[in-house]
Amino acid sequence: MKKPIPDIVIGRLPVYLRALQHMMDAGRSVTSSQELGERLGISAAQIRKDLSQFGEFGKQGTGYTIEFLAQQIQAILKIEKVWEIALIGAGDMGNALAAYQGFNQRGFHISKIFDSDPNKIGKQIGDYKVLNIESMESEIKKANIKIAMLAVPASVAQEVTDKLVDAGIKAILNYAPVSINVPEGVRKQYIDPAVHLQRMSYYLK
Amino acid sequence: MKKPIPDIVIGRLPVYLRALQHMMDAGRSVTSSQELGERLGISAAQIRKDLSQFGEFGKQGTGYTIEFLAQQIQAILKIEKVWEIALIGAGDMGNALAAYQGFNQRGFHISKIFDSDPNKIGKQIGDYKVLNIESMESEIKKANIKIAMLAVPASVAQEVTDKLVDAGIKAILNYAPVSINVPEGVRKQYIDPAVHLQRMSYYLK
């Protein structure tokens, strides 16, 4: 049996992919582990080692064809298809996410939005009508949605998480500033602006 | 001269700190590089190596005192003091950030909010009155603010970034789904939900 690839390596692939897509947007066609490394603050050796876990994507001395490498990473990350997402919470953050232009072409599409507030249920947000959170489990099961974004108040984040897990959700992106517990087999990630700010404050005088 | 510590190492410190704070919230007082590693999907050896770049924070066999290690990391990241932040953009995302409870006690405080929309300028958002973006440079200079969060439409992100840099901003957290260019000496980070979603889609069937 093959050893599973460490999650920290998986976590770097989307960052490589984003850099490759920025290069493509700028009209570039070839890059190197050195250039990628300099852009990302990661050593070239680390990038080569990470990519070598999945196959041979470049040639010594000629570097990587950006489009090909991007396609390979997309395939590894299973985003050649588009994943439907359930968004929970139609407050300011939910509205911002519903309007966010960064999901298209990166493998994701918000499919349904839920809230518990009677003043929000039934309201139109862009293309979406806000659904009653009471119907969340049945709607998610019916549509076979596997990914959810959690934009609810911290106080209810765990309760909603438990319901999402019951509904068959396997990956949760949590915007609430609170830790959530999920059972084995369910992935979680946090959107945590403080982590990014702290990474920069280190360098400030 | 000491070799600078790689940014990828600096980037892991806030993640260690967040895990330590979750442990403290749960009433814990001692941990180990093994436990931290299992929580975070990072090898224990990597964690010990990262921390050893800054000093001796634990003893072989007895692990780390959580509170002490957290304080040390806070000092390294320069967040024993509170950094004032300028928030640019009073749309849905700006409103969500103004209300976000995750900055307090983690080293940051939103000080001023700016927008260019006449319908938003002068409006109250929580404790803040939205200021005219025309006054952004002078207000930021006057208050000596070094960090900005960018929650503006992608189409104006670069233009606003240039003005922020002119105003003396040294660190920008960009929520717009677009790449921004900053001169040397200015840090940037992206809040990019697609990166987090892609890290999880890898594991989905």
Side-chain angles (χ1 to χ4, degrees):
Chain A
M1 209 177 87
K2 262 174 81 179
K3 222 176 130 186
I5 290 163
D7 182 58
I8 191 98
V9 176
I10 304 304
R12 283 193 287 263
L13 296 183
V15 178
Y16 299 161
L17 179 58
R18 182 174 59 193
L20 294 168
Q21 283 170 329
H22 285 170
M23 288 177 183
M24 275 194 281
D25 291 345
R28 302 277 312 282
S29 62
V30 176
T31 186
S32 63
S33 52
Q34 284 75 13
E35 189 194 15
L36 270 173
E38 275 166 30
R39 272 192 180 229
L40 299 172
I42 300 176
S43 78
Q46 180 74 66
I47 293 174
R48 285 193 301 271
K49 190 179 160 203
D50 285 353
L51 294 176
S52 72
Q53 309 230 25
F54 302 96
E56 278 286 341
F57 303 128
K59 285 206 190 80
Q60 187 75 37
T62 61
Y64 299 108
T65 304
I66 294 172
E67 193 180 352
F68 174 74
L69 181 57
Q71 283 167 353
Q72 297 299 310
I73 295 178
Q74 283 166 342
I76 294 165
L77 296 174
K78 301 196 187 133
I79 49 169
E80 326 97 302
K81 64 163 266 186
V82 170
W83 294 89
E84 297 296 335
I85 293 180
L87 169 59
I88 327 301
D92 292 321
M93 187 57 80
N95 272 271
L97 288 171
Y100 188 72
Q101 297 299 308
F103 295 126
N104 307 334
Q105 303 173 320
R106 295 181 69 194
F108 305 97
H109 173 252
I110 294 174
S111 174
K112 292 172 193 298
I113 303 181
F114 300 92
D115 204 292
S116 62
D117 180 347
N119 294 318
K120 290 180 185 140
I121 296 165
K123 269 186 87 173
Q124 199 73 21
I125 299 186
D127 297 340
Y128 309 97
K129 184 173 273 185
V130 178
L131 304 175
N132 190 331
I133 203 165
E134 298 288 329
S135 69
M136 184 176 77
E137 290 185 54
S138 64
E139 292 277 358
I140 286 176
K141 280 183 189 165
K142 201 166 62 188
N144 196 27
I145 297 172
K146 296 296 169 202
I147 305 177
M149 292 197 295
L150 202 54
V152 300
S155 56
V156 298
Q158 187 60 54
E159 180 191 331
V160 175
T161 296
D162 294 343
K163 286 185 184 152
L164 289 170
V165 170
D166 287 344
I169 289 291
K170 297 294 181 198
I172 298 174
L173 183 56
N174 178 24
Y175 276 80
V178 67
S179 175
I180 53 171
N181 297 311
V182 295
E184 206 164 323
V186 178
R187 294 270 150 188
K188 61 180 173 179
Q189 286 274 303
Y190 297 92
I191 291 283
D192 185 348
V195 157
H196 297 272
L197 292 170
Q198 289 171 354
R199 183 174 189 161
M200 299 191 288
S201 59
Y202 170 81
Y203 296 96
L204 296 181
K205 301 283 182 314
Chain B
M1 210 177 88
K2 261 173 82 179
K3 220 174 132 187
I5 289 162
D7 182 59
I8 191 98
V9 176
I10 304 304
R12 283 192 288 263
L13 295 183
V15 178
Y16 299 160
L17 179 58
R18 182 174 59 193
L20 293 169
Q21 284 170 329
H22 286 171
M23 289 177 183
M24 274 194 283
D25 291 346
R28 301 277 313 281
S29 61
V30 176
T31 186
S32 63
S33 52
Q34 284 75 13
E35 188 195 16
L36 269 172
E38 275 165 31
R39 274 193 178 226
L40 299 172
I42 300 176
S43 76
Q46 180 73 68
I47 293 173
R48 286 195 299 271
K49 190 179 161 203
D50 285 353
L51 294 176
S52 71
Q53 308 230 25
F54 301 96
E56 279 286 342
F57 302 128
K59 285 205 189 82
Q60 188 75 36
T62 61
Y64 300 108
T65 304
I66 294 173
E67 193 180 351
F68 175 74
L69 181 57
Q71 283 168 352
Q72 297 299 309
I73 295 178
Q74 283 166 341
I76 294 165
L77 296 174
K78 301 194 187 135
I79 50 171
E80 327 97 302
K81 63 163 264 183
V82 171
W83 294 90
E84 297 296 334
I85 294 180
L87 169 58
I88 327 301
D92 292 321
M93 187 57 79
N95 272 272
L97 288 171
Y100 187 72
Q101 297 299 309
F103 295 128
N104 306 335
Q105 303 174 319
R106 295 181 69 195
F108 306 97
H109 174 253
I110 294 174
S111 174
K112 291 172 193 297
I113 304 181
F114 300 92
D115 205 292
S116 62
D117 181 347
N119 294 319
K120 289 180 185 142
I121 295 165
K123 270 185 86 174
Q124 199 73 22
I125 299 185
D127 297 340
Y128 309 97
K129 183 172 275 184
V130 178
L131 303 175
N132 191 330
I133 203 166
E134 298 288 329
S135 69
M136 185 176 77
E137 290 185 55
S138 63
E139 292 277 358
I140 286 176
K141 280 183 189 166
K142 202 166 62 187
N144 197 27
I145 297 171
K146 295 298 170 201
I147 305 177
M149 293 196 294
L150 202 54
V152 300
S155 56
V156 298
Q158 187 60 54
E159 180 192 331
V160 175
T161 296
D162 294 343
K163 286 185 185 151
L164 289 170
V165 170
D166 287 345
I169 288 291
K170 297 295 180 198
I172 298 175
L173 182 57
N174 179 24
Y175 277 79
V178 66
S179 173
I180 54 171
N181 297 312
V182 295
E184 206 163 322
V186 178
R187 294 269 149 188
K188 60 180 173 179
Q189 286 274 304
Y190 297 92
I191 290 284
D192 185 346
V195 157
H196 296 273
L197 292 170
Q198 289 171 353
R199 182 175 190 160
M200 298 191 289
S201 59
Y202 170 81
Y203 296 97
L204 297 181
K205 302 282 182 314

